[in-house]
Amino acid sequence: MNIKINIEKNRTERKNKLFRGFGMVSANNSSRLLIDYKTEHPRRYREIMELIFGEKGLNIRHLKVELGSDINSSSGTEPCTKRYKDEKAQVRRGAAFILAADAKKINPDLTLDMLYWSEPKWISDIGAENDRYEARYKWFKDTLNAAYDELGIKFDCVSPNRNERAVEPEWIKYCSKRLKEENDCRYDFSKIKIVAADEEGSWRIADLMLEDKELLSAVDIIGSHIYQDGKIAVRENDFVKTEYIHDNSAEDFDPSCPHSLKISALYDILEYYVDEKLIFSHREAERTISRFAPIYLFIGLL
């Protein structure tokens, strides 16, 4: 299948018309085998990494990694970076942060994002909401600092909402505010963009943002996980937000898979960049999403 995209048009159109490339998710310790290659077959590891992140390969532009918490988050367990409150964050326990550091060496322009599937018990056991938020933020902050201290990487984005769970507007606002005010940081955390809310088959976050000006200000990028069939229109509004589409895999475009987007969805997505259509596949057929733009599409390759 040959697909032609007008690159010149992509360069000259306004930002909500730009195609920004493809992204990748590393979660559930799914990258562990790659790190085994790095130890036992370093040359092959480099070849694989070039195929994924290199200009002559997939040229992945955005990498989202799991902030591990020692739980089986679907197909495996990403080790927790802080197993107790006063422990120094350990970013080498799992594979994801090492993968991110090595990927940045191949593509320095790669943007990095971090998302949690669950949290350590020393956080979840805290009853008072604000105290729990502060403990969770400390986990995030200490991990970001450790990733820079040990691996030399800076994160461009943080996804504060728990993966595919109910939206927590107050926590999203809390995390955004604390990052912007943070002084105990290895680099300027105020520049880290907030991605929300990693919902599954829902854009509830967009509705909430239009109802809550503080939340609207806190969120830089609207991110959702798309799995199902259907059409949904995305209209422009007078506020500008970036949109990421996460967590689609090869089977999401397989016509034989009953819960897939099917190949027609791929054409819908590509058609947008060729014909400027604001149409995306979504299971909530005929629902118009709250208006936001620009649209930068990243399909998470699992």
Side-chain angles (χ1 to χ4, degrees):
M1 178 175 64
N2 294 320
I3 298 169
K4 294 182 180 180
I5 296 178
N6 189 330
I7 301 300
E8 283 305 314
K9 196 170 187 178
N10 195 49
R11 289 173 181 158
T12 57
E13 286 284 2
R14 53 189 293 183
K15 287 186 177 181
N16 67 312
K17 306 286 187 181
L18 297 182
F19 175 69
R20 294 293 298 273
F22 295 97
M24 173 179 165
V25 177
S26 176
N28 330 123
N29 217 8
S30 57
S31 303
R32 169 53 61 192
L33 289 178
L34 269 179
I35 305 306
D36 290 345
Y37 268 91
K38 180 177 182 177
T39 302
E40 299 179 19
H41 306 283
R43 184 173 64 85
R44 292 299 188 192
Y45 174 73
R46 178 72 186 192
E47 289 176 3
I48 294 170
M49 292 291 285
E50 287 284 354
L51 287 171
I52 299 171
F53 298 101
E55 288 187 3
K56 295 182 179 180
L58 293 174
N59 195 19
I60 294 297
R61 305 294 300 277
H62 183 82
L63 176 61
K64 194 180 193 91
V65 301
E66 179 181 355
L67 176 55
S69 57
D70 287 334
I71 61 113
N72 185 342
S73 45
S74 66
S75 58
T77 300
E78 193 74 35
C80 187
T81 57
K82 281 178 70 72
R83 288 176 172 152
Y84 52 89
K85 179 180 178 180
D86 296 323
E87 180 186 26
K88 181 181 178 182
Q90 305 293 325
V91 292
R92 294 180 181 270
R93 278 184 178 142
F97 290 91
I98 298 171
L99 174 72
D102 290 344
K104 285 285 283 186
K105 293 173 185 175
I106 294 171
N107 179 7
D109 294 327
L110 179 76
T111 53
L112 300 180
D113 187 3
M114 185 175 75
L115 167 69
Y116 83 109
W117 267 241
S118 189
E119 61 192 6
K121 200 167 185 298
W122 61 267
I123 297 175
S124 59
D125 279 351
I126 299 173
E129 188 175 82
N130 278 354
D131 292 342
R132 187 169 65 255
Y133 287 172
E134 183 56 29
R136 188 184 294 160
Y137 174 75
K138 177 177 173 57
W139 177 39
F140 276 57
K141 183 192 81 169
D142 290 354
T143 301
L144 290 169
N145 279 334
Y148 182 81
D149 290 342
E150 296 187 31
L151 299 169
I153 53 176
K154 298 179 181 180
F155 274 75
D156 305 274
C157 306
V158 162
S159 301
N161 206 76
R162 185 179 176 186
N163 182 60
E164 297 182 355
R165 293 295 187 273
V167 181
E168 287 191 84
E170 296 307 315
W171 157 240
I172 293 170
K173 291 186 288 186
Y174 185 96
C175 184
S176 175
K177 184 174 185 293
R178 294 288 278 110
L179 284 171
K180 288 177 173 61
E181 296 174 347
E182 188 59 62
N183 293 317
D184 181 20
C185 46
R186 305 299 186 267
Y187 51 98
D188 188 355
F189 282 5
S190 70
K191 293 182 179 179
I192 294 176
K193 296 184 182 300
I194 296 294
V195 181
D198 288 276
E199 303 163 80
E200 181 182 3
S202 171
W203 299 92
R204 174 62 177 155
I205 183 65
D207 297 327
L208 294 172
M209 288 165 65
L210 290 182
E211 297 166 4
D212 185 337
K213 290 184 178 180
E214 186 182 352
L215 182 64
L216 175 62
S217 177
V219 176
D220 301 291
I221 299 166
I222 299 172
S224 185
H225 299 194
I226 308 299
Y227 289 100
Q228 307 294 336
D229 294 330
K231 302 286 185 181
I232 191 153
V234 181
R235 302 195 310 258
E236 291 185 12
N237 193 22
D238 58 357
F239 66 90
V240 176
K241 295 292 173 183
T242 302
E243 179 183 317
Y244 286 2
I245 296 181
H246 298 136
D247 263 28
N248 287 74
S249 62
E251 75 168 8
D252 292 328
F253 300 105
D254 179 2
S256 66
C257 183
H259 64 274
S260 72
L261 289 171
K262 303 193 186 304
I263 197 67
S264 61
L266 179 58
Y267 285 116
D268 290 335
I269 291 168
L270 292 170
E271 215 174 41
Y272 164 69
Y273 297 106
V274 178
D275 298 330
E276 304 175 14
K277 293 182 180 179
L278 290 172
I279 303 295
F280 290 86
S281 292
H282 196 279
R283 71 178 172 193
E284 294 181 38
E286 299 180 357
R287 180 186 171 199
T288 302
I289 287 304
S290 303
R291 298 159 289 190
F292 51 87
I295 294 181
Y296 299 162
L297 177 66
F298 284 85
I299 301 176
L301 304 176
L302 298 181

